[in-house]
Amino acid sequence: MPAKIAIIYYTTYGHIRKLVDATAAGVKAAKGADGAPLNAEVTIYQFPEILSDEILAKQYAAPKDTSIPVIKATDLPQYDGFIFAFPTRYGRAVAQASAFFDSTGGLWASQALNGKMGSIVTSTATQHGGQETTVATTLPFFAHHGIIFVPIGYKSKLISTTDAVQGGSPWGATTVAGPDGSRQPSELELELAAYHGEHFASIVTKYVS
Ligand SMILES: Cc1cc2nc3c(=O)[nH]c(=O)nc-3n(C[C@H](O)[C@H](O)[C@H](O)COP(=O)(O)O)c2cc1C
């Protein structure tokens, strides 16, 4: 049976959305060791917004993509795995992600997500502004739900290049947006995001089968 994967994202300026599109393409392209397509299914959602229109306007936030559904806690149990994608705020996940996890108390009580798999994609303005701490400080949500964290490790050679500014670590795909947000995800970062999707789909598929 094909793995069912949800990608749930938040973005203010669009960087994370670009990584999400590449990650989703990676999930769809994932193949088994024999080269046969895994046919993993992917559905993209957005985290619910918690900021007022006034604050979003002051942040110069990009308009929401209204074609993407907003996730509800009750959507989660139907999936085998989740890739959560959000930018850093003060070295941690955006409050929109925390608020959403707060809404999953009923699922926590019934442990409906226990044994499912999860992965994290993130973005910072600066190279050392919290790429890894954002992932690490999200892990308590996983632990309390019993969600199994899937990092990407060092299998992809893309993580180990040092000749240019680049996101991406064994914890997962990332981008560096630049202090004014003008830097866009590089080809290498998008390639790593696609790898993240492929890797996650292959691990979840092995697990569900
Ligand atoms: C309130 C606030 C806090 C932020 N904190 C950090 C931070 O701790 N480290 C960092 O590098 N960038 C920080 N940023 C920058 C965002 O992470 C950056 O705008 C984001 O990664 C861009 O992704 P997006 O276009 O998908 O929103 C912060 C931005 C805001 C608005």
Side-chain angles (χ1 to χ4, degrees):
M1 203 160 49
K4 286 187 74 177
I5 293 169
I7 302 182
I8 304 143
Y9 78 89
Y10 184 82
T11 190
T12 307
Y13 306 110
H15 298 80
I16 283 288
R17 179 56 195 274
K18 287 181 182 163
L19 294 185
V20 161
D21 289 344
T23 308
V27 169
K28 287 184 200 154
K31 294 189 174 70
D34 59 359
L38 297 178
N39 299 319
E41 294 170 15
V42 62
T43 309
I44 302 178
Y45 292 93
Q46 322 185 45
F47 283 103
E49 185 54 86
I50 60 170
L51 296 179
S52 65
D53 288 344
E54 187 190 350
I55 298 288
L56 290 170
K58 284 183 174 162
Q59 288 187 334
Y60 303 104
K64 304 282 182 207
D65 180 346
T66 52
S67 70
I68 304 289
V70 174
I71 190 88
K72 299 186 297 300
T74 49
D75 292 321
L76 295 177
Q78 65 186 296
Y79 295 100
D80 302 307
F82 317 105
I83 299 174
F84 298 103
F86 38 69
T88 289
R89 300 281 185 263
Y90 308 105
R92 296 176 50 181
V94 287
Q96 287 80 358
S98 297
F100 175 70
F101 280 116
D102 285 4
S103 79
T104 62
L107 299 176
W108 164 79
S110 62
Q111 286 293 289
L113 308 181
N114 196 311
K116 295 183 184 291
M117 294 190 156
S119 223
I120 297 166
V121 167
T122 190
S123 158
T124 60
T126 55
Q127 283 189 88
H128 307 291
Q131 300 239 321
E132 287 147 319
T133 56
T134 300
V135 181
T137 53
T138 301
L139 295 187
F141 292 116
F142 284 25
H144 286 234
H145 274 293
I147 295 171
I148 302 161
F149 174 57
V150 179
I152 58 175
Y154 273 99
K155 236 172 159 180
S156 169
K157 299 275 174 287
L158 298 170
I159 292 176
S160 300
T161 60
T162 54
D163 48 354
V165 171
Q166 76 168 79
S169 83
W171 297 76
T174 69
T175 188
V176 180
D180 61 358
S182 62
R183 183 178 181 275
Q184 295 302 309
S186 66
E187 281 307 310
L188 186 145
E189 289 167 340
L190 293 171
E191 215 182 304
L192 191 63
Y195 170 78
H196 191 145
E198 280 179 54
H199 176 74
F200 187 72
S202 75
I203 299 287
V204 177
T205 302
K206 267 187 214 157
Y207 183 70
V208 297
S209 60

